[in-house]
Structures are given as structure tokens and as C-alpha cells.
């Protein structure tokens, strides 16, 4: 049944939690944002033609109605490259880059303030830094708490959702490779030519925020992906307590499979093998974490396939029977948006995810 028919036939507002990192999570959030209830009618700001600040009208919900009561994003914090890496080293703080992208994606008015947060300096000592990263770094020092700085920044951007770092602990990613070597640091891991056997956090005792566990317990729909298998998705599963919370949740849980395999992360892996790798890193949880796996079966142009083939990348094989054998129901569709690079079509992706969330009974809150 279509999303419109479901919303017309049922009075139901969803609490949604999206887990991931990188461009995949921010892409998904752009699609989900359109469905978020905004009872306070918060408004973004933009610069008018006469150089005065004006209020931008609140973007309307789709024809159906606003069906997301609460949207929360849980974002990986293991990036150690570029501007984020420099800030981590200089200020001993968590990396703000992925979180900044999510804040901008959820901004009610992706105009002046969001453009400001994405602005990257091109000269001088600040070269390579984005304004948003520096802003979050400054707030982190003022408040003494990275998670609080993220919430304050989100309020300034009038974000249509809450954003939580996967952990407030300053963690380093470490990987055992197929040649027996140990590689530390996300940048070094992604640059390695070896295959990852096992991933872990240092320290392994990193805990999630209580708000993250609360959001998962109360959720009606939880998504993981799209995003780099190891450095955007599995990293969240290494935070102790998150896999167990997902397993215990009564929400509809959906794995959003990537469109293409990725160099140094998932070359040669099928859709079912992506799920298996996630489960292997899920802290000993034995039962399936996911109810569904959203898998693209739409066509990709020959030109784009050739572009990715030069890097050894190819469409992820939709081995549907093997996915079902894992206790996960595959959901197929055309979710491709072709630009300079391949991305999920965030409108189609969000609509199909919300259909899945609406088709099942609302979860009973695990937290009061």
C-alpha cells in the first residue's frame, strides 16, 4: 500500500531513528526531514535581496501529512581525516564533520546558515576547515561537552530532528587485516589495500549517550545505512549497548543497502554478506537485528557503471534468498539518483521506509 493511502487510513505518527554516517546518512535525512512534524513552526533565516535578514516560510509536508513525530540521527564519530582530523588532534575533541553534514541536512531552511556551516576556508591557517566544524569546536569548549554543543548547533540551524554522536568518548578505530596486521585510525584503514577481518574501537568501553538508548527504545522505525560498511555503519555497532538496544527494540528495523561496492570496504560483498558483517560485529547479539533490507534493483547507466568499474566497484549483488535465510525480508525497488556520482534518491528512499514503518503497529515505548 502506498504511503499516501496508509496515512489516510491510519492515524499514526512515527518516531524514527536513523543510524550511520558519511554522505549516506545525510542523504537519507534530507528525505525524512520533509515528513517531520513541526508544531512550533520554527523558521530558518535567509538573507533577503535588500541585505536584511528575513524569515523563510516553513516548507510544507507532503500531500499526506507530517507523519514523523520525532526524528533522531545517531552519527559515527571515528573520522580522523581532513578538517575533523586536525580538530581532533589540536583540541582532543570528537570529529564534527559527519555531524555537521547531518545538521545541515536537517536544517529547516538549507540557505544562509546551512551554507555558512558548509563554507570551507581556502587560504591561510584555516585552509581546509569548514566554518561549521570550527563553530562546533568552539561550542564544545564553551560547554565542555561535545554532545551539548551538537544540540545547541542544531537549534541554531532549526534542525528538524535531534542529532546524537554514537558515543561521547574520544575513540580510535582499529582493524585486524587479512594479512595479520593491525591498522589504527579510520584514514589509515580506508587507505589500506588489505581486507578488514575485524573492526574494533579503542577504548572498547565506549558507551552511547542515554538519549540514544532512549530514542532506540521508543522508536517505531530504525534504519541503518546507507553508508560505508565498516567506517560509517559497523562503527556504530561497536559502541557497547547499541546492538543490544536494537535487538530489544520493537521497532521496524531496516538495513538500507548501498548501491555499489566500495574500495577497501566491501569489494565483492553481496547484500547478504553486508548484513552478515554487521551481525558479526554486533556485540554477540544472535537474533537478527533487521526486519527488512532495502535493496536497489533499478538500472544504472552504462556510463556510470564504467566510471565505477575503473575503481573495481560494481553494483551490490541482490542475493535475495540468502538475505531471507538470515531472517531478513528483502524489499526491492529503484532507488537510484544519477548525478556526478551515484546516490540514493532520498525522496523515494524516505517514502519506502516510511511505508514499512506505517505497515506495522506502533512500538510500545521502552522508556517512559
Amino acid at each position: 500500500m502506498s504511503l499516501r493511502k496508509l496515512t489516510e487510513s491510519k492515524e499514526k505518527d512515527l518516531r524514527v531513528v536513523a543510524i550511520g554516517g558519511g554522505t549516506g546518512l545525510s542523504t537519507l535525512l534530507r528525505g525524512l526531514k520533509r515528513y517531520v512534524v513541526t508544531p512550533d513552526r520554527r523558521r530558518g533565516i535567509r538573507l533577503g535581496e535588500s541585505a536584511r535578514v528575513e524569515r523563510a516560510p516553513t516548507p510544507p509536508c507532503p500531500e499526506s501529512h507530517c507523519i514523523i513525530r520525532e526524528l533522531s540521527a545517531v552519527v559515527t564519530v571515528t573520522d580522523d581525516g581532513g578538517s575533523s582530523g586536525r580538530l581532533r588532534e589540536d583540541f582532543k575533541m570528537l570529529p564534527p564533520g559527519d555531524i555537521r553534514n547531518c545538521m545541515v541536512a536537517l536544517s529547516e531552511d538549507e540557505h544562509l546558515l546551512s551554507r555558512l556551516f558548509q563554507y570551507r576556508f581556502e587560504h591561510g591557517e584555516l585552509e581546509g576547515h569548514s566554518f561549521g566544524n570550527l563553530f562546533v569546536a568552539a561550542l564544545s569548549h564553551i560547554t565542555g561537552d561535545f554532545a551539548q554543543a551538537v544540540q545547541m548547533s542544531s537549534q541554531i540551524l532549526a534542525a528538524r530532528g535531534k542529532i546524537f554522536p554514537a558515543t561521547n568518548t574520544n575513540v580510535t578505530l582499529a582493524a585486524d587485516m587479512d594479512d595479520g596486521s593491525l591498522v589504527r585510525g579510520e584514514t589509515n584503514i580506508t587507505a589500506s589495500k588489505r581486507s578488514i577481518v575485524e573492526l574494533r574501537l579503542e577504548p572498547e568501553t565506549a558507551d552511547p549517550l542515554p538519549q540514544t538508548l532512549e530514542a532506540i527504545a521508543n522508536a517505531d522505525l530504525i534504519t541503518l545505512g546507507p553508508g560505508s560498511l565498516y567506517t560509517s555503519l559497523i562503527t556504530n555497532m561497536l559502541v557497547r549497548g547499541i546492538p543490544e538496544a536494537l535487538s530489544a527494540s520493537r521497532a521496524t528495523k531496516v538495513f538500507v543497502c548501498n548501491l555499489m561496492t566500495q574500495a577497501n570496504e566491501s569489494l565483492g560483498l553481496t547484500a547478504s554478506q553486508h548484513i552478515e558483517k554487521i551481525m558479526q560485529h554486533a556485540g554477540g547479539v544472535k537474533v537478527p537485528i533487521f526486519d527488512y533490507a532495502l535493496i536497489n534493483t533499478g538500472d544504472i547507466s552504462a556510463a556510470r557503471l564504467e566510471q565505477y568499474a575503473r575503481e573495481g566497484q560494481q553494483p551490490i549483488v541482490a542475493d535475495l534468498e540468502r538475505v531471507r535465510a538470515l531472517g531478513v525480508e528483502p524489499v526491492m525497488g529503484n532507488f537510484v539518483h544519477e548525478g556526478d556520482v551515484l546516490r540514493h534518491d532520498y525522496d523515494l528512499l524516505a517514502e519506502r521506509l516510511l511505508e514499512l514503518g506505517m505497515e506495522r503497529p506502533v512500538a510500545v515505548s521502552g522508556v517512559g
Side-chain angles (χ1 to χ4, degrees), residues 292-348:
Y292 299 100
L294 216 64
I295 303 172
N296 177 67
T297 51
D299 293 331
I300 299 172
S301 70
R304 201 60 66 215
L305 290 174
E306 182 180 349
Q307 171 191 338
Y308 279 80
R310 297 189 196 106
E311 301 295 327
Q313 298 172 257
Q314 60 186 15
I316 290 176
V317 174
D319 53 342
L320 305 182
E321 289 307 313
R322 180 57 188 156
V323 171
R324 290 190 179 97
L326 295 174
V328 182
E329 182 61 29
V331 178
M332 294 78 75
N334 184 354
F335 304 109
V336 177
H337 173 76
E338 290 200 33
D340 294 334
V341 295
L342 290 173
R343 293 273 187 264
H344 282 82
D345 184 311
Y346 55 75
D347 286 326
L348 295 176

Side-chain angles (χ1 to χ4, degrees), residues 186-318:
E186 182 177 309
T187 301
N188 294 331
I189 291 170
T190 56
S192 173
K193 301 302 181 183
R194 309 303 307 185
S195 296
I196 299 170
V197 174
E198 185 177 2
L199 201 67
R200 61 178 177 271
L201 295 180
E202 296 178 346
E204 295 183 354
T205 54
D207 291 318
L209 298 176
Q211 300 95 314
T212 297
L213 297 180
E214 181 178 352
I216 291 172
N218 289 334
D220 304 302
L221 172 66
I222 300 173
T223 67
L224 179 69
S228 300
L229 174 61
Y230 284 96
T231 55
S232 289
L233 306 186
I234 287 177
T235 49
N236 293 285
M237 306 301 291
L238 300 177
V239 178
R240 64 179 187 178
I242 286 185
E244 293 80 3
L246 290 175
S247 179
S249 170
R250 300 184 185 181
T252 299
K253 290 163 281 191
V254 186
F255 169 61
V256 183
C257 191
N258 292 335
L259 302 174
M260 308 290 289
T261 59
Q262 185 176 354
N264 304 328
E265 296 246 4
S266 60
L267 290 183
L269 297 184
T270 65
S272 69
Q273 289 172 323
H274 278 70
I275 297 172
E276 287 176 331
K277 296 295 184 184
I278 293 169
M279 289 298 298
Q280 289 170 12
H281 288 83
V285 172
K286 301 300 182 183
V287 299
I289 289 178
F290 307 111
D291 301 301
Y292 299 100
L294 216 64
I295 303 172
N296 177 67
T297 51
D299 293 331
I300 299 172
S301 70
R304 201 60 66 215
L305 290 174
E306 182 180 349
Q307 171 191 338
Y308 279 80
R310 297 189 196 106
E311 301 295 327
Q313 298 172 257
Q314 60 186 15
I316 290 176
V317 174

